[in-house]
Amino acid sequence: MSSHTFVLNGEKVTVDVEPGVRILWVLRDVLGVTGPKYGCGINVCKACTSHINGKAFNPCSVPVSELSADDEITTIEGLADTVDTDLHPMQDAWIEHDVAQCGYCQPGQIMAAVALVNKVKAEGRAIAESDLDGIRNLCRCGTYPRIRQAIRTGEQHM
Amino acid sequence: MGYVIAGATLATGAEMTLGSEPAEAVIPTAPGPAEILDLNDLLTLAAAPTASLITVKIGTDGRASFALPRAEVGQGIITSSTMMIAEELDLPLDKIDVTLAKARPELMFNQLTGGSNTTISTYTPIRVAAALAKQQLLRAAAVVLGDTVDALVAKSGVITGPSGQISYGDLAVKASVTDTVRAEVTLKTRAQHTVIGTPQGRTDARDAVTGKKKFAMDLDVADALPTMVARPPTHNGAPVRLRNEAAVLDLPGVTHVAQVPTGIAVRAKTFGQCIDAIREMDIEWEGGELAGESDASILAKVKQAQLPMVVPKVPVLTQRVDAEFTFRFRSNSSLEPNCAIADVRAGSAEIWASLKSPVVAQEEIAGELGLPVSEVTVNVAQGGGSFGRKLFHDAALEGARISKAMGKPVRLMWHRVDEPRQGRLHPMATSRVRATHLLGEVLSFEQRHTSVQTDFGHGLGDIITNHAAKLPVGGNLSFAQTIFTLTQEVPYNFGAVTQLLNETDDRFNTGSMRNIYSPDVRTANELVVDELARKMRKDPVAFRRKFLRSSAAKAALDKVAAMGDWGRTLPDGVTQGVAIHKEYKGVTACLVELDTRPATVNRDVRNGVTGPRVTKAFFAVDAGLVINPTGLEAQMLGGVMDGIALALTSSCHFEDGHFLEASWDNYFYTRQWNVPPEITVEIMPSDAGQPGGAGEAGVAASFAAIACAYARATGKMPTEFPINHADELAFEPKPFTPSVVQSPTDGLDHTY
Ligand code: FES
Ligand code: FES
């Protein structure tokens, strides 16, 4: 057991847990932050997608020992706090397009979408069909067409 | 028609009442049983005797509450139920709390979510209960205000009359009764609806996008620590013993291990430590009945069980189309894996899980634990998808066993690897079709569907037995054959039509998958319909129009033909396909364009399957009276995604006693790179007074349309689905021992 400190959704947290435990389990099982979902544990389904220092990552595939005290993790629960509005524009777009069915994949989908738009913007371009085709997040309810629409709407307001 | 129920505040209840619609009908085909009384009528009949327990309550805060005796697994029934209550109660949607009812044995089969029956069977009773509540509120308001009921108007939770106004909350106690009484109420007509039929976003949309929505594994249950099971290397194998229990118990975080019939369970502080522990376990296994079997040996067994065709007497010049199709095993797992929280104590037990048949779960768990049913509380959690999986309670039962063995509450979750390998599958099946035609008419159409046995142990079977006397089918049909007969229909005037099911092999874990038979059966049908059209030199759309019996089906077909510009000029390698399907008291039609050009087929996606891509999809649905068009469209979009997977990419390979798939990058459900860039769903106008089913309706027509487009592209009917099953495996199978894979550690190398 060892002690690990990092910033979670804007607040400094310290957990006592074995260093090899993946961050997903630290969030869910130790800290009770259940927005990031388990769908595979091997960085395939992307249901756990969250942000580290503003970039998308999959906490099921990173040991907690990789974190340092100033690393900032944002989960879906903290996404709205990264903007001045009530919700993040991507969350508003998700509601506008009524994307969620069961909703299980959606925290990961939204976190991935935000990172994708940020990345594309940083490259000085707009979301293209090929960017949407490249999203790996699985949705077993098949909400993919509305996800594509919502990302385009969210992009307009980001 | 309903009841005002005794209590401190107002509660009203209603009975289930719903009629069945008769069907309408070149060479006419006599209506099949599915047209007279389909599965939905049966489920509705089955629900009738106990439905008086559907109750709407009004609180002193003015909010209405309703515990829906169904499972919400993403299909949007909480939203549509809220809309029905809002409609009759004249209360805004955000003042209505619809929750999921616990298992209540007295509800019997009125608590089964399946067959896309929820809206069909609850449409009347929910509205009656809500309307009665409003009627009681109006009567109470009349007394308080000193006005007549006729002079009062209810709007947004407030009743206004000439002498003043009063809110529902202030009337909740005054409108209550001390003795339950029967009461009559008149429902609004369709023309009076202002909520039903309007597009509404889901009531849980905000929770879903903020991470607040709670699934079973997110529930806060004290001391229910993460628990996982080491599972056998063969499908349905069994553990003999754990050889290194002491060493496993010594591992960091581990609190308990226990042997159960399905494997060796471990409980630990985190799921990660459960995975670590499983990987350290040294277990002796028993192979089980399927050791050594493979796809080929199972298929041979299915073929042996095929029933013969009964070629009817036809004139000598008659031509014949013979076809046979194989449908491979498919995993019906949702993204949320099998999971349940179980807390088994000395004289009682409590379960939390997403369950579509919670009463059956409760009875079986009580039996397993040796407890009276009344001591087992089964809470129905929100489900992260179902697709047939949650009709069963595999994780709830397993969790109860583990909790009992460990003497501790457990938070049991299956590893992803376990899902395709030990979870339920849609069974492998073959469909043989023989059609005869002469002089532009189809004389006969025979279909023999043969399948590895589908498990109906979730209660649907019991519904059938309880109501067997009401069925228009004779003889000694099994549950499965009865359900087949009640759901399958050839919607064309094809002369003598026979459709029969036979089953074999009960050694697999099986279940339905967003429908039981229709996607496979209808795909086989529609491919043969295209082949008949080709041989008779008819355009496939014109051919279907000529032989379709139902005018609603013709209208849906015409709609997609117009939307998709049927017959338009396309580049070489891009083809259209069209199909229709009739079920769930509704009709669907789908037209797709499929791109089979090398540049598309050979696209390179890391660890993904590309292949032919549906580039455009046009879908029309006539689902009768529509409660929520936004929700209906969502179900159709999802159905098309399933159709794409079934036709092109997703199956499980059975080899040497085990399924090879173990990940979403092995079992290729539709991913973004397979999604049509253009997809449109059109809801057909309908003057039907009753809603139809939606949850499963989107799959069959889209699967069939894609199959037809593929046949057109290749110039011959495909014989196996998905079409890539026989290709070289697109992945390296993960090891079988240990049963779970370790999580990677390089996640930070893949940020973006
Ligand atoms: S759980 Fe992390 S990618 Fe699937
Ligand atoms: S909404 Fe259910 S898995 Fe995506």
Side-chain angles (χ1 to χ4, degrees):
Chain A
M1 201 103 101
S2 51
S3 186
H4 307 271
T5 300
F6 56 97
V7 181
L8 174 62
N9 294 329
E11 291 193 21
K12 194 167 270 291
V13 293
T14 300
V15 287
D16 287 322
V17 68
E18 283 67 21
V21 175
R22 308 301 190 268
I23 296 168
L24 178 62
W25 309 123
V26 172
L27 295 173
R28 293 186 54 89
D29 302 343
V30 182
L31 295 167
V33 175
T34 55
K37 298 290 182 259
Y38 167 85
C40 71
I42 53 170
N43 210 346
V44 164
C45 75
K46 307 290 179 179
C48 66
T49 307
S50 301
H51 292 176
I52 183 162
N53 304 324
K55 288 186 173 255
F57 86 118
N58 290 89
C60 69
S61 300
V62 182
V64 66
S65 57
E66 303 256 315
L67 294 179
S68 45
D70 54 357
D71 275 330
E72 292 187 22
I73 290 184
T74 309
T75 66
I76 189 73
E77 287 95 337
L79 179 65
D81 291 337
T82 63
V83 292
D84 296 334
T85 40
D86 175 32
L87 290 180
H88 189 281
M90 199 58 83
Q91 291 170 312
D92 283 326
W94 241 250
I95 292 174
E96 181 185 331
H97 291 277
D98 202 38
V99 175
Q101 288 189 26
C102 82
Y104 195 84
C105 72
Q106 303 298 348
Q109 301 278 6
I110 293 168
M111 297 306 279
V114 170
L116 178 66
V117 171
N118 284 335
K119 172 178 158 254
V120 162
K121 279 194 190 240
E123 290 166 10
R125 55 187 190 89
I127 291 276
E129 281 291 298
S130 56
D131 295 311
L132 300 174
D133 283 359
I135 296 173
R136 297 194 71 96
N137 295 58
L138 188 118
C139 175
R140 185 60 184 78
C141 296
T143 65
Y144 299 113
R146 287 188 180 173
I147 288 173
R148 295 169 88 98
Q149 293 170 350
I151 292 177
R152 290 192 180 282
T153 302
E155 179 189 26
Q156 303 300 311
H157 300 101
M158 267 173 70
Chain B
M1 203 173 173
Y3 299 86
V4 183
I5 299 165
T9 52
L10 175 59
T12 51
E15 272 182 90
M16 196 81 87
T17 44
L18 198 71
S20 62
E21 314 161 50
E24 23 170 334
V26 237
I27 299 174
T29 300
E35 284 172 276
I36 302 167
L37 177 78
D38 75 5
L39 180 66
N40 267 302
D41 295 315
L42 189 65
L43 293 175
T44 307
L45 282 177
T50 57
S52 59
L53 296 168
I54 287 188
T55 58
V56 169
K57 294 178 183 157
I58 307 293
T60 50
D61 55 359
R63 300 184 69 82
S65 60
F66 174 66
L68 178 66
R70 290 289 187 276
E72 170 68 65
V73 292
Q75 74 280 49
I77 56 174
I78 288 186
T79 304
S80 56
S81 300
T82 306
M83 290 172 70
M84 294 182 213
I85 294 169
E87 184 69 78
E88 290 294 342
L89 201 47
D90 289 307
L91 197 61
L93 292 166
D94 60 9
K95 286 201 168 171
I96 299 167
D97 304 309
V98 175
T99 53
L100 303 178
K102 289 179 188 184
R104 300 179 57 188
E106 69 276 18
L107 291 183
M108 303 204 311
F109 296 108
N110 190 16
Q111 205 171 356
L112 183 127
T113 311
S116 297
N117 179 260
T118 295
T119 307
I120 297 174
S121 61
T122 60
Y123 179 60
T124 301
I126 290 180
R127 288 182 307 138
V128 165
L132 260 182
K134 194 180 89 180
Q135 180 168 294
Q136 276 301 110
L137 290 165
L138 284 169
R139 285 179 185 168
V143 174
V144 174
L145 299 173
D147 292 320
T148 61
V149 167
D150 290 348
L152 302 175
V153 178
K155 195 164 179 255
S156 304
V158 177
I159 293 174
T160 309
S163 321
Q165 62 178 42
I166 184 163
S167 72
Y168 286 8
D170 290 337
L171 289 165
V173 174
K174 295 186 177 75
S176 67
V177 294
T178 46
D179 293 306
T180 300
V181 288
R182 248 182 104 86
E184 296 280 327
V185 71
T186 309
L187 296 176
K188 287 183 181 173
T189 62
R190 234 187 119 164
Q192 292 171 309
H193 287 169
T194 57
V195 182
I196 290 174
T198 61
Q200 298 285 344
R202 292 177 57 114
T203 51
D204 62 356
R206 192 183 166 99
D207 285 355
V209 304
T210 52
K212 284 202 186 70
K213 183 168 177 177
K214 296 268 184 268
F215 300 88
M217 291 294 92
D218 306 335
L219 299 174
D220 189 10
V221 175
D223 205 26
L225 288 188
T227 302
M228 237 179 215
V229 175
R231 299 182 190 278
T234 47
H235 186 71
N236 280 342
V240 177
R241 69 195 176 97
L242 172 65
R243 296 193 188 98
N244 60 341
E245 178 168 334
V248 173
L249 279 169
D250 259 358
L251 292 170
V254 173
T255 67
H256 293 76
V257 293
Q259 182 165 333
V260 288
T262 41
I264 308 288
V266 56
R267 178 174 175 272
K269 188 172 158 192
T270 65
F271 278 110
Q273 289 158 325
C274 293
I275 294 171
D276 294 344
I278 289 172
R279 294 183 59 80
E280 287 302 317
M281 287 182 187
D282 177 10
I283 306 167
E284 184 184 336
W285 298 106
E286 201 177 286
E289 290 181 0
L290 284 161
E293 299 264 24
S294 288
D295 269 345
S297 62
I298 303 299
L299 181 58
K301 211 166 144 67
V302 169
K303 290 198 178 208
Q304 269 172 18
Q306 287 173 339
L307 297 174
M309 300 281 184
V310 222
V311 187
K313 282 210 174 66
V314 285
V316 279
L317 293 175
T318 305
Q319 300 214 13
R320 205 161 99 169
V321 174
D322 265 300
E324 178 169 347
F325 309 95
T326 300
F327 301 91
R328 296 295 178 170
F329 282 108
R330 289 142 286 182
S331 168
N332 67 2
S333 176
S334 51
L335 181 55
E336 172 190 49
N338 276 346
C339 58
I341 294 175
D343 184 358
V344 178
R345 305 282 168 107
S348 68
E350 188 160 7
I351 307 284
W352 292 259
S354 169
L355 297 164
K356 290 177 124 189
S357 190
V359 176
V360 175
Q362 184 185 33
E363 279 168 9
E364 196 173 329
I365 291 166
E368 172 74 24
L369 299 174
L371 290 173
V373 168
S374 57
E375 293 306 321
V376 178
T377 306
V378 174
N379 304 287
V380 179
Q382 299 266 353
S386 169
F387 320 108
R389 175 62 68 90
K390 281 164 178 138
L391 279 163
F392 297 90
H393 48 270
D394 299 322
L397 177 63
E398 191 177 52
R401 285 175 172 152
I402 297 168
S403 177
K404 185 181 179 186
M406 293 179 175
K408 284 283 175 187
V410 298
R411 183 179 301 270
L412 171 69
M413 185 170 79
W414 286 34
H415 196 282
R416 174 56 48 199
V417 170
D418 301 334
E419 285 289 349
R421 288 190 170 169
Q422 300 292 346
R424 290 177 184 273
L425 299 117
H426 191 279
M428 179 194 281
T430 64
S431 228
R432 292 180 64 210
V433 182
R434 174 175 296 168
T436 58
H437 60 100
L438 178 70
L439 304 172
E441 297 297 345
V442 181
L443 306 183
S444 68
F445 193 94
E446 294 182 283
Q447 183 164 28
R448 298 293 176 266
H449 199 71
T450 316
S451 177
V452 163
Q453 190 171 308
T454 303
D455 187 347
F456 284 111
H458 43 58
L460 208 55
D462 303 70
I463 294 179
I464 307 285
T465 18
N466 290 344
H467 291 77
K470 296 193 177 90
L471 302 182
V473 286
N476 286 320
L477 296 180
S478 68
F479 288 164
Q481 286 168 325
T482 304
I483 290 170
F484 185 83
T485 311
L486 287 170
T487 53
Q488 300 312 305
E489 172 189 344
V490 174
Y492 302 101
N493 274 314
F494 280 168
V497 171
T498 63
Q499 282 180 295
L500 296 176
L501 170 77
N502 200 26
E503 288 191 318
T504 179
D505 211 337
D506 60 1
R507 298 172 294 171
F508 289 89
N509 297 329
T510 59
S512 57
M513 183 170 91
R514 217 166 184 175
N515 203 311
I516 314 166
Y517 307 109
S518 301
D520 296 352
V521 167
R522 291 294 300 133
T523 295
N525 287 174
E526 292 286 279
L527 282 165
V528 171
V529 169
D530 262 11
E531 182 62 11
L532 284 166
R534 192 186 64 79
K535 288 187 77 175
M536 290 154 79
R537 296 176 199 285
K538 291 274 166 29
D539 169 76
V541 168
F543 181 86
R544 283 176 173 80
R545 273 202 114 266
K546 174 176 171 185
F547 291 100
L548 275 173
R549 281 195 296 282
S550 133
S551 52
K554 284 182 204 168
L557 176 66
D558 289 346
K559 175 56 85 180
V560 293
M563 287 161 77
D565 194 3
W566 174 254
R568 80 192 187 100
T569 313
L570 290 165
D572 276 353
V574 182
T575 48
Q576 289 177 314
V578 70
I580 69 109
H581 177 56
K582 194 164 166 285
E583 194 180 1
Y584 301 120
K585 301 191 172 298
V587 174
T588 50
C590 184
L591 186 155
V592 296
E593 283 181 17
L594 187 72
D595 186 347
T596 56
R597 292 175 293 185
T600 297
V601 172
N602 302 326
R603 283 175 301 152
D604 188 30
V605 173
R606 175 178 58 83
N607 297 336
V609 163
T610 49
R613 184 174 191 180
V614 177
T615 48
K616 290 178 199 253
F618 304 93
F619 199 92
V621 53
D622 180 340
L625 183 147
V626 177
I627 311 290
N628 183 6
T630 310
L632 178 63
E633 186 199 69
Q635 289 304 304
M636 296 308 117
L637 291 172
V640 176
M641 299 306 123
D642 276 26
I644 291 170
L646 292 175
L648 304 175
T649 57
S650 72
S651 61
C652 292
H653 294 77
F654 193 59
E655 225 178 86
D656 197 16
H658 38 230
F659 286 100
L660 303 184
E661 282 70 13
S663 145
W664 292 112
D665 276 355
N666 300 171
Y667 181 70
F668 299 102
Y669 181 71
T670 305
R671 303 281 279 271
Q672 283 289 10
W673 50 87
N674 311 114
V675 171
E678 189 181 336
I679 178 164
T680 316
V681 175
E682 183 82 20
I683 296 174
M684 302 295 289
S686 165
D687 50 18
Q690 299 288 336
E696 303 165 295
V699 185
S702 46
F703 181 5
I706 297 160
C708 288
Y710 186 71
R712 200 154 291 127
T714 56
K716 58 176 196 292
M717 275 192 281
T719 55
E720 173 168 278
F721 294 99
I723 56 163
N724 72 336
H725 185 82
D727 293 355
E728 195 189 327
L729 269 191
F731 60 91
E732 176 74 33
K734 300 201 185 302
F736 295 92
T737 316
S739 64
V740 298
V741 291
Q742 187 52 278
S743 298
T745 54
D746 65 348
L748 291 183
D749 299 342
H750 305 286
T751 60
Y752 62 92

